[in-house]
Amino acid sequence: MRLPFHHWTAAPLFAGRPRDKLDSALVRLEISDGTVGWGESYCVEPTALKAIFDTLIAPLTVGKSCEDDTLVPGIRRTLHNLGRSGPVLHAIAGLDIALWDIKAKLQGVPLYALLGGKQRDSVNAYASLLQYYADASLIDRNVTRALDAGYAEVKLHERTTGAVAAARRAMGAGLPLMVDTNCAWLPDDADGAIADMAAHDPLWIEEPLWPPEDHDALARLSKRSPVPLAVGENASSALEITKLVAAGTVRYVQPSVIKLGLTAAADISRLCEGTAVRCAPQVAFFGPGYLAALHLLAAQPTPASLERLYVELQHVPYGASVPIVAGKVSVPDRPGLGADPEAALIDGRFSS
C-alpha cells in the first residue's frame, strides 16, 4: 500500500530520497470457506517483503488451520535464524493480524470482543506531525491546523527545545503535547536536552536514546528525567518490551502491531495492567494495523490515545467506514477489524 502524501512543506529526505509516499504491506489471507482476513506489515521496500511472504511465510501457512494458536509461534521459531527482528518478524506480524481478523469474522464479533471486550465506544486520536519541520512558523501553522481539525493532542517529531516551545505556544497550556526524538541522543547528551524541553510540559519524550536497546542507559535516564519517557516502536522483540514493563523502566511502552503483531501487543497491554506502565501502541500507518490498534485500545482497561500520522493523504484508508471526527475514532462494531480495505487501494488507483 503506497500512499502519496503531502505535509505542507518540502518533502523530507529518507535514505537520501524525498519521501512523499508512505509504504506498508497489505496482507490478504483467505481460508477454504472464502472468508478473507486482512493484516498489515511494516514495510519500507515492498518487493523485499513480498519475497519473504512468497518464499518463507506462504509455504508454512497454506493448508494450515486458522484456529491453530501454535501456527504463528511455530513460524516464528522455524524462521528464527533468518531474523528475530526486522522484515521477517514484520511479515509474521501482518499474518498474525489477518488471523485475528478471520477469527473474529468466523465468530461474527468485533475484534475487541476477542481482546476482552469493549471498554469505551470511542478512542481519542492524536495528530502525529511528520518529523523535522524545524522551522517555528511551520510548527505553529501545522499544530494550529491539527487543532482546527478537531485534535486536542499533538505529537512532534523534533529534537530541539525551540520546536517544542513553538508547539506549546500554538497549543496553549493544558493540552497533551508529546515529543518523539527518533533516538536522538547518546546517553550522555540526553539530560540537558530533556531538562530544557520540560519547561514546556511535554506529556512524554519518546525514543530518546541511541541505541534504543541500551536498557541500562534508559533506566538511568528515566530515573533522572523530569519528563516521562516512552519507548517500544523500535523494540526488536516482544520480550524486550516485557522486560521494560517488569522493571518499570519507563512510563509508556509502545508496541507496534505491524512489527510485532497484535498477539504480542495484546500480551504487553495485559502485562501493563496493575503497574505504573501504560501501553500506548505505536501506529503511524493507515491500514489494517491501524484498526487492530484501535480495537486493542478500545479493549484495554487503561485508556490511551491512538496515533494518527498527520499528513494530507491522496487517499484516506477507511475515511468513510472508520472516520476520525473531532479528534475521536468510534470503534466499529462490525465483525473482525470492522472494515476491509477499499477497492481503490486494492486495484491500485491510489498506489502512485
Side-chain angles (χ1 to χ4, degrees), residues 24-241:
S24 64
L26 293 178
V27 180
R28 183 184 184 277
L29 182 65
E30 183 174 351
I31 61 174
S32 56
D33 71 357
T35 302
V36 172
W38 289 94
E40 184 179 12
S41 296
Y42 180 74
C43 173
V44 295
E45 177 42 62
T47 57
L49 205 71
K50 185 178 186 304
I52 291 171
F53 272 99
D54 289 345
T55 62
L56 300 175
I57 305 298
L60 295 170
T61 305
V62 174
K64 302 296 175 65
S65 170
C66 66
E67 302 287 354
D68 182 359
D69 291 337
T70 69
L71 177 60
V72 169
I75 292 173
R76 192 177 292 117
R77 290 187 67 178
T78 298
L79 300 179
H80 76 274
N81 279 332
L82 300 177
R84 292 186 295 280
S85 63
V88 171
L89 190 66
H90 302 162
I92 297 171
L95 173 66
D96 181 60
I97 294 169
L99 284 166
W100 278 93
D101 188 27
I102 281 180
K103 290 175 184 178
K105 285 175 176 174
L106 290 178
Q107 295 185 37
V109 298
L111 182 54
Y112 61 71
L114 304 187
L115 295 169
K118 185 170 63 173
Q119 302 296 315
R120 52 198 61 85
D121 292 326
S122 65
V123 173
N124 291 340
Y126 64 85
S128 184
L129 273 61
L130 196 62
Q131 56 208 43
Y132 310 137
Y133 285 102
D135 182 283
S137 63
L138 286 174
I139 293 169
D140 178 278
R141 184 186 313 163
N142 290 305
V143 168
T144 301
R145 188 191 303 268
L147 297 175
D148 289 345
Y151 291 93
E153 306 176 36
V154 172
K155 184 167 81 175
L156 303 177
H157 290 79
E158 301 284 350
R159 297 181 173 185
T160 67
T161 300
V164 179
R168 178 53 74 194
R169 285 194 300 270
M171 295 178 72
L175 295 180
L177 171 64
M178 295 76 83
V179 184
D180 185 349
T181 74
N182 287 123
C183 307
W185 304 300
L186 297 174
D188 292 340
D189 301 327
D191 290 87
I194 293 175
D196 289 343
M197 290 180 179
H200 306 289
D201 193 28
L203 181 67
W204 72 56
I205 303 294
E206 184 172 335
E207 300 287 358
L209 294 183
W210 178 263
E213 58 269 20
D214 189 345
H215 293 175
D216 290 339
L218 182 66
R220 293 192 295 270
L221 176 63
S222 185
K223 289 179 180 178
R224 300 189 302 263
S225 176
V227 180
L229 303 183
V231 300
E233 171 191 353
N234 292 309
S236 60
S237 69
L239 179 61
E240 186 176 340
I241 300 181

